[in-house]
Amino acid sequence: MSHQTLLKYGLQWLAAISLGLISTAAACAVDKDQGMKRSQTSNTVNTRPTIIYIPLLDDVSLSKVSGSSREMDEEAAILQVLTPDHTGLTLQAQRSLYWYARTPVATRFIVALIGKDKTEQLLDVEAGSGKVAGIQQLDLGDYDISLQPEVTYQWSVTQVIDKGSQSTGVTASGVIERIEPGEGLSNRIKKSHGIELASVYASEGIWYDSLETLSSMIDKSPEDQGLVAIRASLLEQVGLHAATGN
């Protein structure tokens, strides 16, 4: 074999080895890059603020309205209103109220003002959808209802068994009260957004605002399971286990 032929095969062999080394390096770089992206994604989830609901001390002692019930038997959990077992607080005059339905059922939604001497019914409408299960909501603003500060309101959701006769079944109810924020809380709210804002509300005992902040974020990004998990954790803190998978 001539010297030129040997040189030709030698160069081809070196080229093949070089290409192999380049391919291996490229593959390693891709794996490293993907690993960094996975790590960054994981860190993004892990570094999200932990949301801890801390009821106001005065709030815990507020009345649990006689005859009210957040949920039925936990295993059945046909209906749950997404509220603590004490008076839940909000800073908003018009707030969305949330409930969980295990199965698609028609529901009747009632909001009543609870006074010292009498109860005044403010709203009685059919709400939700008979074709949808899971977490649902009703925006009080859609019905031009504004909550007055320092007034207690009871709201309830009732399963409608027979729409023709309006016979009803299971009822779950909760309590909401609007309070005015102090200057310190107002400043924290102005500086916070997203999950951080939901965390501020929860840490100050403002249940309904924390829940709506998270739920609104989930509505905008339903594929974000991290947000769903954070809301589930918030619900579990007040014993609402049945609704945590939605």
Side-chain angles (χ1 to χ4, degrees):
M1 183 177 294
S2 67
H3 176 72
Q4 291 180 341
T5 302
L6 288 173
L7 180 60
K8 175 182 177 182
Y9 282 116
L11 291 173
Q12 290 177 344
W13 180 72
L14 288 174
I17 291 177
S18 298
L19 288 172
L21 291 174
I22 292 172
S23 299
T24 301
C28 291
V30 170
D31 289 342
K32 182 178 180 181
D33 182 61
Q34 290 178 342
M36 291 179 63
K37 288 182 178 179
R38 285 193 295 268
S39 177
Q40 290 171 353
T41 300
S42 176
N43 289 336
T44 298
V45 174
N46 292 334
T47 56
R48 282 175 165 171
T50 300
I51 294 183
I52 304 297
Y53 174 61
I54 305 176
L56 297 181
L57 293 178
D58 290 342
D59 178 45
V60 174
S61 65
L62 291 175
S63 63
K64 295 181 181 179
V65 178
S66 177
S68 69
S69 172
R70 293 187 309 159
E71 60 187 86
M72 298 307 294
D73 179 81
E74 180 63 32
E75 295 183 359
I78 298 172
L79 286 175
Q80 285 185 319
V81 290
L82 302 190
T83 177
D85 61 0
H86 49 269
T87 303
L89 302 178
T90 180
L91 303 179
Q92 304 300 319
Q94 295 180 323
R95 174 54 69 208
S96 288
L97 302 177
Y98 292 82
W99 70 96
Y100 165 80
R102 181 172 58 87
T103 57
V105 293
T107 53
R108 181 184 178 195
F109 190 94
I110 296 175
V111 177
L113 182 152
I114 304 171
K116 294 182 179 179
D117 303 318
K118 64 178 182 179
T119 298
E120 177 186 355
Q121 185 168 298
L122 303 179
L123 181 66
D124 185 349
V125 297
E126 185 172 317
S129 171
K131 298 181 180 179
V132 178
I135 292 178
Q136 301 181 51
Q137 73 177 94
L138 182 142
D139 187 343
L140 295 179
D142 290 342
Y143 297 89
D144 198 29
I145 291 181
S146 295
L147 305 177
Q148 300 303 311
E150 312 302 331
V151 176
T152 303
Y153 298 83
Q154 182 176 19
W155 63 282
S156 65
V157 180
T158 300
Q159 177 189 22
V160 179
I161 298 175
D162 184 351
K163 294 182 65 175
S165 63
Q166 287 297 303
S167 61
T168 58
V170 176
T171 296
S173 62
V175 183
I176 183 171
E177 181 177 332
R178 177 186 167 195
I179 65 171
E180 299 287 356
E183 183 178 352
L185 177 56
S186 294
N187 290 334
R188 291 181 65 194
I189 290 173
K190 291 177 181 178
K191 297 177 182 179
S192 303
H193 304 279
I195 296 175
E196 183 181 1
L197 177 60
S199 181
V200 169
Y201 284 136
S203 67
E204 295 289 340
I206 315 299
W207 170 265
Y208 287 97
D209 299 23
S210 181
L211 177 61
E212 180 159 352
T213 299
L214 287 174
S215 297
S216 296
M217 293 174 66
I218 292 173
D219 289 342
K220 294 177 181 178
S221 303
E223 74 288 348
D224 191 336
Q225 292 304 304
L227 289 174
V228 175
I230 291 172
R231 183 176 67 178
S233 173
L234 180 67
L235 296 174
E236 287 175 345
Q237 290 175 47
V238 295
L240 296 171
H241 305 291
T244 57
N246 295 269

